[in-house]
């Protein structure tokens, strides 16, 4: 069992890094700015195939870890540090979104700009979910679960902000990757909230955590680089703002830090 956990974790890290590099390379070499799509190249085909294999790899956890597997959720200093880092990035991004909206410096596209204050406020509130991750007292544990719903509101608002941006094609690879990242995060966060109220299911986390990382980290890394390039216009920049990308990157890393470990059992 211990070997399976290590193999699955290391493979997940390698696949996440590989997908991040390939997706960034696709934007830099195969993205056609005029139409907003990737041109068909061997690189884009390989990246698409690897994404499909990565999803299958997540499902492989159900085979690697049987139902009676003695798994436990991660804990310790590493989890606490990642939680504080994730919370800090959410707090920073939320404040920047609010300040940018007030200063009218945030890229504004159509009616979706009305969601920016909601995104900013709930990004700030979401930070407390991560700041309180791993708490032991009953009072803070309840607060942790409550702030988890703030993260869900932020994600739904971000989903609407992405979907209803009518200036970017509905099947744009940028929209698709953002929506898949948000949806995978929603499932992962629901699992996290369930755990915080006493319903831990580490085997489920072994599927949802890597799935979240596979979508969020490559999307965030490639969008951070794309936003700094000359390959996207204002409507696209509104979707791939670094403040959105930082929240996705933080969640992806957080998901990896929540990887289940082998449960220690007492020796008879």
């Amino acid at each position: 069992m211990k070997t399976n956990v290590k193999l699955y974790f290391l493979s997940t890290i390698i696949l996440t890094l590989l997908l991040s590099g390939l997706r960034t390379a696709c934007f830099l070499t195969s993205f056609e700015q005029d139409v907003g799509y990737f041109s068909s190249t061997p690189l884009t085909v390989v990246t698409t195939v690897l994404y499909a294999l990565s999803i299958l790899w997540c499902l492989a956890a159900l085979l690697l870890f049987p139902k009676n597997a003695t798994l436990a959720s991660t804990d310790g200093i590493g989890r606490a540090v990642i939680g504080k880092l994730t919370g800090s990035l959410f707090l920073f991004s939320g404040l920047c979104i609010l300040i940018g909206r007030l200063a009218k410096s945030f890229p504004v596209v159509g009616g979706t700009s009305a969601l920016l204050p909601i995104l900013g406020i709930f990004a700030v509130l979401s930070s407390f979910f991560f700041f309180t991750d791993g708490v032991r007292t009953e009072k803070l544990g309840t607060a942790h679960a409550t702030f988890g719903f703030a993260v869900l509101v932020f994600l739904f608002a971000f989903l609407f902000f992405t979907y209803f941006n009518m200036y970017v094609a509905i099947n744009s690879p940028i929209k698709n990757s953002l929506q898949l990242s948000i949806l995978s995060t929603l499932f992962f966060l629901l699992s996290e909230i369930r755990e915080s109220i006493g319903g831990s299911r580490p085997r489920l986390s072994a599927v949802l955590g890597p799935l979240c990382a596979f979508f969020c980290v490559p999307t965030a890394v490639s969008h951070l680089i794309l936003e700094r390039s000359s390959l996207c216009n204002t409507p696209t920049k509104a979707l791939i703002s670094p403040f959105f990308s930082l929240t996705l990157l933080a969640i992806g890393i957080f998901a990896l830090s929540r990887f289940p470990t082998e449960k220690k059992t007492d020796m008879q």
Side-chain angles (χ1 to χ4, degrees):
M1 176 64 66
K2 188 174 182 179
T3 301
N4 286 348
V5 172
K6 286 186 176 180
L7 172 64
Y8 188 56
F9 178 69
L10 290 175
S11 300
T12 299
I13 295 293
I14 292 172
L15 281 171
T16 301
L17 294 175
L18 191 56
L19 286 170
S20 299
L22 286 174
R23 193 166 194 279
T24 300
C26 285
F27 272 115
L28 296 178
T29 63
S30 306
F31 186 67
E32 298 183 11
Q33 178 184 3
D34 296 338
V35 295
Y37 295 94
F38 292 119
S39 57
S40 182
T41 65
L43 182 61
T44 58
V45 173
V46 168
T47 304
T48 301
V49 171
L50 188 60
Y51 263 109
L53 292 176
S54 298
I55 295 173
L56 293 177
W57 180 243
C58 292
L59 297 177
L62 300 177
L63 299 176
L64 288 172
F65 312 124
K67 289 185 178 181
N68 61 348
T70 53
L71 296 175
S73 298
T74 52
D75 205 347
I77 297 177
R79 168 177 170 172
V81 171
I82 295 297
K84 300 299 184 292
L85 174 62
T86 305
S88 297
L89 288 176
F90 261 83
L91 181 61
F92 171 76
S93 298
L95 291 175
C96 287
I97 291 172
L98 289 173
I99 294 172
R101 184 69 181 98
L102 290 173
K104 298 182 179 180
S105 60
F106 198 97
V108 175
V109 181
T112 56
S113 60
L115 289 171
L116 288 174
I118 297 175
L119 285 164
I121 291 170
F122 278 94
V124 171
L125 293 176
S126 297
S127 67
F128 295 102
F129 173 78
F130 301 104
F131 284 140
T132 57
D133 181 54
V135 294
R136 288 286 177 265
T137 63
E138 182 178 350
K139 186 175 181 179
L140 283 178
T142 303
H144 174 70
T146 303
F147 284 122
F149 290 98
V151 188
L152 297 181
V153 173
F154 169 79
L155 291 170
F156 275 115
F158 191 15
L159 185 62
F160 294 153
F161 181 82
T162 302
Y163 183 82
F164 290 105
N165 184 325
M166 299 305 177
Y167 296 88
V168 178
I170 192 68
N171 59 343
S172 160
I174 291 175
K175 264 192 176 182
N176 289 340
S177 63
L178 283 172
Q179 290 169 161
L180 287 171
S181 297
I182 295 168
L183 290 173
S184 64
T185 302
L186 280 169
F187 285 114
F188 169 69
L189 260 298
L190 285 172
S191 175
E192 286 294 295
I193 295 172
R194 176 191 172 94
E195 178 182 332
S196 67
I197 57 178
S200 178
R201 299 186 65 181
R203 190 165 174 259
L204 180 62
S205 297
V207 176
L208 298 179
L211 186 66
C212 176
F214 287 154
F215 285 116
C216 287
V217 176
T219 296
V221 171
S222 59
H223 287 185
L224 282 169
I225 294 175
L226 178 64
E227 197 274 338
R228 303 304 301 172
S229 71
S230 58
L231 295 174
C232 58
N233 49 28
T234 299
T236 303
K237 282 184 179 292
L239 286 182
I240 63 172
S241 164
F243 307 123
F244 294 143
S245 298
L246 285 176
T247 58
L248 290 180
L249 181 62
I251 287 176
I253 295 174
F254 179 80
L256 291 175
S257 76
R258 304 293 287 109
F259 212 89
T261 58
E262 184 181 18
K263 182 183 292 184
K264 295 180 180 179
T265 55
D266 296 331
M267 299 297 293
Q268 298 293 332

